[in-house]
Amino acid sequence: MSDDFLNNYLARFDRAEAKRKGQPRQVALELKFPLVVREDGRAASRESVSALWQYLDRQGWRAMQDAHSGKVVGAQLVRDSKTDTLSSATGHCVIELSTAPEHNLGDLKKRVAEALAPVLSFCRQGELVLLGQGIHPISKPSPDLLTDKGRNVFWDDIFVRREKGARVHLFTVTAASQVHIDVGVAEAGDALAVFNGLSPAQLALNANSMVWGNRVDTAHKCVHETFWDRWMPHEDRVGMPEAKPQSLTGYLEHLINLRPVYVERDGEPIMLPAVGSFREFLQSDRVEGARQSGEKVSVEPRPEDCLLYTSPSPRDRT
């Protein structure tokens, strides 16, 4: 099945490539904005965030429920056959906007403004504000800030070799945004190398997350980066190849040898502690998994399981 997965994935890229032929590039955004109390910059309460989703529902947005917890964790709006999504990130107080793609930055800026307009209206009514530019609230990370999402319930059970206190809730106040840029198949290797090579310069120019523990950290411009070092103190970052891949196929071959963390069955996350790689997983008839309770279950691999670990390209999200 691993060969089928690679071939199917490459076929997806080929279809996207044919779709984009003769068209300008597209770009999409994932922007994170901590929602805080205007008076003192504390993280907004869970009740305030729940009220935001109810407000958006009245404005024509469609509520999104987490399949595992059954709780509303966001809302979606379809405009011009394109979907924009507002949701809570790891922390319920961090509002994430995932935009549909656009062909230019001007249209994308307009899309962001239109999507955020009802959120800002809600904030004015409730004495709340959104923090931009990656700035953190003054609230310290806390388990009380975790969003009621199925994917949040088991990370602490998987990553155990960390310093004391470095739990998944460490990421409940961070607000790192992402950009999705439309690149062609032939460009994939160069794009991967360039974007990763420029990441230190991007941090130096754009990072603003200096607030930590209700004070300004004078040693780091991007405190968020140190959180990853605390989260995995004895391991290197995973996912990036040691050398530039010579082709998209080479990069996918690298990815399929990484270790999967979990799959979902009926909305419930199932951990895969004994599986060494995606390749091993996809070549197995069945593997042993574990529910968050610790109960052992038998899991039959599915090709779509790997899609949990990928972000759709702007072309796919059109």
Side-chain angles (χ1 to χ4, degrees):
M1 191 189 296
S2 60
D3 289 338
D4 290 340
F5 167 75
L6 288 174
N7 291 333
N8 289 337
Y9 215 86
L10 289 169
R12 287 180 62 199
F13 276 94
D14 288 339
R15 289 194 296 270
E17 188 88 334
K19 191 175 180 181
R20 74 192 289 272
K21 187 175 182 179
Q23 298 186 41
R25 295 185 190 275
Q26 293 196 101
V27 60
L29 297 173
E30 291 183 20
L31 304 175
K32 295 185 177 68
F33 304 94
L35 183 66
V36 302
V37 179
R38 178 185 295 275
E39 181 181 9
D40 55 15
R42 288 180 293 107
S45 67
R46 196 177 300 271
E47 291 74 21
S48 293
V49 177
S50 177
L52 169 62
W53 306 138
Q54 295 174 35
Y55 179 84
L56 290 176
D57 183 68
R58 296 194 295 273
Q59 303 300 313
W61 291 64
R62 184 178 71 249
M64 298 165 49
Q65 279 188 317
D66 180 74
H68 178 64
S69 68
K71 301 292 183 64
V72 175
V73 294
Q76 291 184 320
L77 181 67
V78 178
R79 295 181 290 153
D80 304 323
S81 301
K82 298 179 179 181
T83 302
D84 296 320
T85 302
L86 286 162
S87 61
S88 286
T90 302
H92 70 252
C93 63
V94 178
I95 306 303
E96 179 174 351
L97 168 62
S98 298
T99 72
E102 293 289 357
H103 289 299
N104 61 74
L105 295 179
D107 288 343
L108 191 59
K109 181 179 180 180
K110 179 182 177 183
R111 191 166 203 95
V112 169
E114 291 175 346
L116 289 181
V119 181
L120 296 176
S121 176
F122 172 83
C123 288
R124 286 190 288 270
Q125 297 176 28
E127 292 299 310
L128 301 168
V129 294
L130 291 179
L131 298 180
Q133 306 298 326
I135 299 172
H136 294 177
I138 68 168
S139 301
K140 293 182 179 180
S142 165
D144 294 334
L145 295 176
L146 280 169
T147 304
D148 292 318
K149 288 183 178 180
R151 63 183 302 172
N152 285 343
V153 302
F154 60 87
W155 290 110
D156 285 331
D157 297 325
I158 295 173
F159 295 94
V160 295
R161 293 184 295 165
R162 290 155 303 163
E163 69 170 65
K164 184 179 180 181
R167 314 298 286 174
V168 68
H169 71 256
L170 192 61
F171 300 94
T172 54
V173 297
T174 59
S177 297
Q178 302 174 40
V179 180
H180 295 263
I181 299 176
D182 190 5
V183 298
V185 171
E187 304 170 299
D190 288 339
L192 182 70
V194 169
F195 289 138
N196 282 301
L198 288 177
S199 58
Q202 293 182 53
L203 289 175
L205 291 171
N206 301 317
N208 289 287
S209 56
M210 297 176 286
V211 176
W212 167 240
N214 198 16
R215 64 179 177 83
V216 174
D217 189 314
T218 58
H220 300 95
K221 189 176 182 184
C222 185
V223 177
H224 184 196
E225 282 297 299
T226 70
F227 290 178
W228 288 105
D229 295 332
R230 297 178 62 190
W231 175 256
M232 301 175 70
H234 307 298
E235 301 177 42
D236 293 329
R237 302 288 180 86
V238 297
M240 294 300 108
E242 294 183 3
K244 190 185 90 170
Q246 298 303 306
S247 66
L248 179 60
T249 301
Y251 182 54
L252 292 175
E253 287 281 358
H254 166 74
L255 293 181
I256 206 171
N257 288 315
L258 298 177
R259 174 177 170 249
V261 177
Y262 76 105
V263 294
E264 289 184 352
R265 293 294 182 267
D266 299 322
E268 180 184 7
I270 305 295
M271 294 179 285
L272 302 172
V275 178
S277 69
F278 285 101
R279 186 183 300 278
E280 175 189 334
F281 176 67
L282 292 171
Q283 289 177 342
S284 302
D285 293 328
R286 303 192 75 86
V287 300
E288 183 180 271
R291 292 192 167 94
Q292 198 266 336
S293 64
E295 178 189 356
K296 297 292 190 295
V297 293
S298 178
V299 178
E300 181 180 358
R302 303 171 183 170
E304 60 268 27
D305 288 330
C306 296
L307 299 181
L308 277 172
Y309 300 86
T310 63
S311 295
S313 72
R315 191 69 56 183
D316 288 338
R317 290 161 61 175
T318 302

